[in-house]
Amino acid sequence: MVSLQLDPLVSVACQLCESDKAEPLYKISGFKEDPREFNIVKCEACGFVYINPAYSKKANIDSYDTTYYTDQVADPSGKVRSFLSDKKEKTNDHRVEWKFIKKYKVSGKILDLGSGPGFFLDALEGHWEKFAVDTSEFSLSNIQDPEVKKFKGELLEACFEENFFDAIYMGHTLDRLTNLKETLSELNRVLKPGGIICIVTPNFSSLCAKVFKNKYRLLYSNHLVYFSPETLKQLFERNGFKLIDIYYPFFGTSFFSYIGFLKGTGKIITQAILNLLSMPQKLVSPPYRGNIICAIISKD
């Protein structure tokens, strides 16, 4: 049994408004082989959704070890794959995100925060000075572009210069942080005025999240917080940023096919009928438009 499963969980308050009063929503399974159940709760004061109690900061960082990238695991659709073997599909999905980003920035210094093996940086076009920050030595060692400047650790430990970056990318990173307020303060410090941040994260207010509830395919115990467009907007505006655009990448990604889209639509209708009949929740949500938020944030 790995250390992650042995570390005690910690009680946490809402990272958006700091209230400690929350209503329970669902229970979900633990990460990998963790036998514990985890509570997804909703803040009574501001509506922010998060896991409580949750993995400690150390346990969460330790979970992204070598096996996170190399283990062959079945996704909610039953497809068996590993993070590294999925490079082609993930890079394609990042190219879809890049189409959104290039409407605002096409060159300069860019940081991939929570870079993993650097697939997003591989997808970039144009003239960029590339930086990668991640807590995993293994993931950084798998970045193949020798021009990428790498730092192992957290953003606050990297000590970048003030007003340094033109763009910052955070793909499925924001929802795994235990220190949102401190991280956003540092993002504000290192991003240039007029710079942008691209956030990619699950959408808790999506159609699938509402219909499938605890069987929404993007609920994982190592995703510590869950955003809607509204709570994402609140978080960044409270920390000196402005949300300027939101997209919902799906068409053109590796998750889209015409047959899959039709099957997914049928699955949503079926589950909605089961909900109306108050029948037990059984189906797992399909890949579908709206599951993922891609938000463009600016620093005024």
Side-chain angles (χ1 to χ4, degrees):
M1 188 173 290
V2 297
S3 60
L4 170 66
Q5 300 165 344
L6 298 175
D7 287 339
L9 303 179
V10 295
S11 294
V12 295
C14 173
Q15 289 201 67
L16 182 55
C17 74
E18 300 184 355
S19 171
D20 61 358
K21 292 181 170 56
E23 60 176 307
L25 295 179
Y26 318 127
K27 289 185 179 293
I28 62 171
S29 300
F31 183 61
K32 289 188 175 180
E33 297 177 356
D34 190 332
R36 295 172 293 192
E37 286 190 326
F38 287 74
N39 302 313
I40 294 182
V41 303
K42 182 177 181 179
C43 177
E44 294 180 0
C46 70
F48 193 50
V49 176
Y50 57 101
I51 287 181
N52 189 34
Y55 291 127
S56 67
K57 178 179 178 179
K58 178 182 180 301
N60 208 43
I61 289 175
D62 289 348
S63 69
Y64 300 103
D65 58 6
T66 301
T67 62
Y68 176 81
Y69 298 95
T70 59
D71 280 358
Q72 296 285 329
V73 296
D75 69 14
S77 298
K79 181 179 178 181
V80 178
R81 55 190 179 179
S82 75
F83 196 106
L84 289 180
S85 68
D86 225 16
K87 178 178 180 178
K88 181 178 178 181
E89 290 80 4
K90 290 183 183 297
T91 304
N92 172 74
D93 296 344
H94 290 317
R95 290 195 180 103
V96 175
E97 297 161 359
W98 161 244
K99 291 178 181 178
F100 304 146
I101 296 171
K102 71 179 183 180
K103 294 181 180 180
Y104 302 94
K105 294 290 179 181
V106 294
S107 63
K109 292 185 176 72
I110 189 166
L111 168 66
D112 187 350
L113 178 56
S115 64
F119 298 159
F120 168 76
L121 296 175
D122 290 339
L124 285 179
E125 299 173 2
H127 301 288
W128 291 97
E129 186 177 352
K130 301 175 183 179
F131 296 77
V133 170
D134 201 283
T135 57
S136 166
E137 182 68 43
F138 178 81
S139 68
L140 290 171
S141 70
N142 276 273
I143 294 178
Q144 298 177 358
D145 184 349
E147 298 299 318
V148 175
K149 299 174 178 65
K150 298 178 281 188
F151 178 82
K152 179 186 178 296
E154 297 182 72
L155 176 63
L156 280 75
E157 298 170 328
C159 299
F160 292 113
E161 295 176 17
E162 189 172 347
N163 300 325
F164 188 69
F165 291 107
D166 298 278
I168 298 172
Y169 173 80
M170 298 178 69
H172 299 277
T173 297
L174 191 71
D175 49 289
R176 310 185 193 209
L177 298 179
T178 59
N179 57 345
L180 288 177
K181 185 176 180 181
E182 293 81 2
T183 299
L184 264 67
S185 176
E186 183 66 0
L187 288 172
N188 196 304
R189 189 186 72 81
V190 300
L191 187 67
K192 293 179 180 179
I196 65 161
I197 302 173
C198 177
I199 301 292
V200 179
T201 188
N203 178 12
F204 196 79
S205 67
S206 67
L207 174 62
C208 282
K210 292 176 180 177
V211 170
F212 291 88
K213 305 181 188 302
N214 66 316
K215 295 297 184 181
Y216 176 46
R217 67 188 289 117
L218 296 175
L219 299 181
Y220 292 96
S221 62
N222 63 322
H223 293 213
L224 306 181
V225 295
Y226 290 90
F227 293 96
S228 67
E230 180 56 34
T231 55
L232 194 64
K233 181 174 182 287
Q234 288 181 43
L235 176 69
F236 277 91
E237 288 188 350
R238 292 182 183 188
N239 288 276
F241 297 94
K242 181 179 180 181
L243 192 154
I244 58 175
D245 221 337
I246 282 189
Y247 306 91
Y248 301 95
F250 179 60
F251 302 106
T253 71
S254 62
F255 295 99
F256 173 77
S257 70
Y258 288 105
I259 293 176
F261 179 66
L262 291 174
K263 287 182 178 179
T265 301
K267 198 173 187 181
I268 292 170
I269 293 171
T270 299
Q271 186 60 63
I273 293 172
L274 293 175
N275 292 346
L276 289 173
L277 297 175
S278 299
M279 296 183 69
Q281 197 86 12
K282 293 182 179 180
L283 303 177
V284 177
S285 71
Y288 211 74
R289 185 181 185 276
N291 277 356
I292 298 295
I293 298 170
C294 181
I296 304 296
I297 313 287
S298 71
K299 175 182 173 182
D300 295 332

